[in-house]
Amino acid sequence: CWFKLPQFLRDLIWRHYRPGQELDKRPSGKYLAAAGLVQLWIQHVWSQPAEQHEALNEVFLTTARKHGKGLFQ
């Protein structure tokens, strides 16, 4: 499933991942926000026909950047 996510979401998850967070159970707020965006993408883009994904990814990315509160910096 990981490689079915668009590159911008995979990059976002890695940008905010901290090694060891899965062990100490203390991910950052930005990591949790990025994971939330992935969940939204799955609900609103992945559920649509594949031929619509590219256009929907552009809308999703634009909206996420606008409201992402520093996630993309």
Side-chain angles (χ1 to χ4, degrees):
C1 288
W2 174 252
F3 290 105
K4 292 183 179 184
L5 293 174
Q7 187 67 48
F8 72 88
L9 286 176
R10 288 183 276 149
D11 291 346
L12 190 63
I13 289 289
W14 280 117
R15 183 176 305 127
H16 298 295
Y17 171 78
R18 178 184 53 80
Q21 70 183 24
E22 69 280 6
L23 300 175
D24 66 17
K25 310 294 188 223
R26 297 179 60 203
S28 70
K30 286 187 176 184
Y31 179 86
L32 293 174
L37 281 177
V38 169
Q39 291 175 350
L40 286 172
W41 182 88
I42 290 168
Q43 291 171 6
H44 297 286
V45 177
W46 181 251
S47 62
Q48 302 302 314
E51 59 271 5
Q52 294 180 11
H53 286 189
E54 187 174 339
L56 289 170
N57 281 341
E58 289 300 317
V59 172
F60 189 89
L61 179 57
T62 300
T63 303
R65 282 187 171 146
K66 184 176 179 182
H67 300 287
K69 299 184 184 198
L71 285 176
F72 292 90
Q73 298 170 352

